[in-house]
């Protein structure tokens, strides 16, 4: 027998509450007929109908969400239909869409249609590490002062603009990583609480007359977050699969290596102190000019790739999740209306 995802306590409490409300409805109906009070009669009849509906809801939720129930079966079939594979945490193992969404954002990655995709967080982190390493090397170069025979050369004015551009990209990537971490935390919260806490709480609250609307809203929230939101991330992963982002980390590594060699050349070159070393001075100036030109040109060559990569990360960590959030909110609103709850925020009525 499959264990209920929210345990037997939530189910038992909901059944007890339904029984209590049936008793209250029967007493109210009996008193209404005995005293010929229309309000008591209508209240009793309404509570009997609502108790029957609540009983059907409890049974339906057990059928749909218990163990490998119908909902998880449909979700897993939709998610894994194209030989999609990923590593799932134990608390996400029943819902493949949640597992895929988590790996899409910050997990260990996933394989879709034979193509392995790293998570957004791992890609962003790798890019940040490469840029910060390059920034460190350029910072050392910018701090070097070369004292030649007749002139002193400081490379800071040339290198600092490149460092500023790198830090601009790093700040954007930091914002993206924070967004991904927040979304991943929400998915973990959904996996741990939706069918184990929020859903049974909604069933219990809906069984009481004073909290019926709030209970309907909680049931709608749990279904929307557990079913609709993860499936929308599956759609996002499908879209991401159609975009083949070229990996340019090797270009950053190459530029970092070239900059590091140039840094070593600057640090190890002997200082020229007398008139007899004019030839060496001129040669060294040529070396500096060539090195700075090479770094600037190479950096300019990877800027377009950096802009494209950041645009990719923004789309898949902000814009598409925004659509997912809208779809989820609309589904929760519609489900809450079906469940007899009008307790929804006015802000979302326009959706």
């Amino acid at each position: 027998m499959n264990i209920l995802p929210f345990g037997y306590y939530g189910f038992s409490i909901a059944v007890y509450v339904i029984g209590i409300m049936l008793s209250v409805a029967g007493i109210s109906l009996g008193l209404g007929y005995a005293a010929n009070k229309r309000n008591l009669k209508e209240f009793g009849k309404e509570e009997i109908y609502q108790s029957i509906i609540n009983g059907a809801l409890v049974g339906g939720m057990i059928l749909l969400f218990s163990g490998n129930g119908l909902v998880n079966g449909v979700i897993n079939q939709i998610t894994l239909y194209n030989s999609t594979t990923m590593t799932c945490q134990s608390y996400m193992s029943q819902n493949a869409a949640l597992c895929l969404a988590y790996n899409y954002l910050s997990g260990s990655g996933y394989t879709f249609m034979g193509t392995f995709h790293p998570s957004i967080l791992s890609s962003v982190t790798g890019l940040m590490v490469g840029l910060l390493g390059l920034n460190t090397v350029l910072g050392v170069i910018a701090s070097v002062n070369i004292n030649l025979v007749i002139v002193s050369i400081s490379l800071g004015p040339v290198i600092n603009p490149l460092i500023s551009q790198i830090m601009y990209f790093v700040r954007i990537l930091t914002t993206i990583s924070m967004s991904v971490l927040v979304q991943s935390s929400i998915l973990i919260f959904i996996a741990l609480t939706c069918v184990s806490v929020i859903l049974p709480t909604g069933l219990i609250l809906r069984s009481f007359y004073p909290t019926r609307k709030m209970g309907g809203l909680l049931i709608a929230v749990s279904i929307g977050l557990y079913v609709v939101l993860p499936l929308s991330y599956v759609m996002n992963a499908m879209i991401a699969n159609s975009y083949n982002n070229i990996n340019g980390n090797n270009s950053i590594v190459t530029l970092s290596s070239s900059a590091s060699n140039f840094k070593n050349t600057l640090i190890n070159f002997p200082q020229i102190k007398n008139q007899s070393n004019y030839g060496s001075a001129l040669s060294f100036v040529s070396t500096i000019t060539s090195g700075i030109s090479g770094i600037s040109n190479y950096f300019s060559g990877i800027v377009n790739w950096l802009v494209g990569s950041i645009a990719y990360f923004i789309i898949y960590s902000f814009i598409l999740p925004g659509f997912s959030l809208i779809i989820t909110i609309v589904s929760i609103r519609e489900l809450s209306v079906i469940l007899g709850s009008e307790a929804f925020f006015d802000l979302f009525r326009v959706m």
Side-chain angles (χ1 to χ4, degrees), residues 106-186:
S106 61
S108 57
Y110 61 96
T111 300
F112 185 84
M113 294 182 65
T115 302
F116 176 77
H117 296 268
S119 66
I120 294 176
L121 183 61
S122 62
S123 299
V124 169
T125 302
L127 184 55
M128 287 179 62
V129 169
L131 288 175
L132 289 173
L134 176 60
N135 182 73
T136 301
V137 175
L138 293 179
V140 174
I141 294 175
S143 66
V144 173
N145 291 316
I146 307 298
N147 296 317
L148 300 179
V149 176
I150 58 177
V151 68
S152 177
I153 300 176
S154 175
L155 301 182
V158 181
I159 298 297
N160 286 336
L162 301 182
I163 294 176
S164 297
Q165 288 297 315
I166 291 174
M167 294 310 298
Y168 172 74
F169 288 128
V170 169
R171 285 192 292 270
I172 296 176
L173 292 172
T174 301
T175 303
I176 293 172
S177 64
M178 291 298 295
S179 171
V180 169
L181 286 173
V182 169
Q183 295 175 60
S184 300
S185 299
I186 292 174

Side-chain angles (χ1 to χ4, degrees), residues 27-287:
I27 293 171
S28 299
L29 189 61
L31 291 175
Y33 278 108
N36 196 23
K37 297 291 185 179
R38 182 179 177 182
N39 292 340
L40 286 175
K41 292 179 185 179
E42 291 179 353
F43 175 79
K45 290 179 181 178
E46 178 66 19
E47 284 306 307
I48 290 175
Y49 295 147
Q50 289 296 332
S51 296
I52 294 173
I53 293 173
N54 290 332
L57 278 175
V58 172
M61 293 301 115
I62 294 173
L63 179 64
L64 293 174
F65 291 97
S66 62
N68 296 319
L70 295 178
V71 169
N72 287 331
V74 172
I75 291 175
N76 294 344
Q77 186 174 6
I78 293 173
T79 305
L80 303 175
Y81 81 101
N82 210 345
S83 301
T84 302
T85 58
M86 59 272 179
T87 302
C88 298
Q89 292 79 3
S90 59
Y91 51 85
M92 292 184 179
S93 59
Q94 290 185 340
N95 189 327
L98 265 176
C99 180
L100 177 62
Y102 182 80
N103 282 281
Y104 161 80
L105 289 170
S106 61
S108 57
Y110 61 96
T111 300
F112 185 84
M113 294 182 65
T115 302
F116 176 77
H117 296 268
S119 66
I120 294 176
L121 183 61
S122 62
S123 299
V124 169
T125 302
L127 184 55
M128 287 179 62
V129 169
L131 288 175
L132 289 173
L134 176 60
N135 182 73
T136 301
V137 175
L138 293 179
V140 174
I141 294 175
S143 66
V144 173
N145 291 316
I146 307 298
N147 296 317
L148 300 179
V149 176
I150 58 177
V151 68
S152 177
I153 300 176
S154 175
L155 301 182
V158 181
I159 298 297
N160 286 336
L162 301 182
I163 294 176
S164 297
Q165 288 297 315
I166 291 174
M167 294 310 298
Y168 172 74
F169 288 128
V170 169
R171 285 192 292 270
I172 296 176
L173 292 172
T174 301
T175 303
I176 293 172
S177 64
M178 291 298 295
S179 171
V180 169
L181 286 173
V182 169
Q183 295 175 60
S184 300
S185 299
I186 292 174
L187 291 178
I188 293 174
F189 173 80
I190 290 171
L192 293 174
T193 63
C194 263
V195 294
S196 60
V197 178
I198 300 176
L199 180 60
T201 302
L203 291 172
I204 294 169
L205 292 179
R206 198 187 185 283
S207 302
F208 283 111
Y209 173 76
T211 58
R212 182 157 296 147
K213 292 183 178 180
M214 179 58 68
L217 178 60
L218 288 180
I219 294 173
V221 167
S222 64
I223 295 174
L225 293 180
Y226 189 78
V227 179
V228 180
L229 183 63
L231 287 177
S232 68
Y233 273 96
V234 174
M235 178 188 68
N236 297 346
M238 291 180 181
I239 297 174
N241 187 72
S242 64
Y243 181 86
N244 187 16
N245 187 34
I246 299 175
N247 185 1
N249 283 340
N250 292 333
S251 299
I252 295 178
V253 172
T254 302
L255 177 55
S256 298
S257 177
S258 176
S260 180
N261 292 334
F262 180 60
K263 176 200 69 175
N264 293 333
T265 300
L266 294 176
I267 294 175
N268 296 328
F269 196 88
Q271 301 298 308
I272 301 173
K273 297 181 179 179
N274 51 63
Q275 297 287 337
S276 63
N277 286 326
Y278 280 144
S280 298
L282 293 175
S283 176
F284 189 47
V285 169
S286 176
T287 300

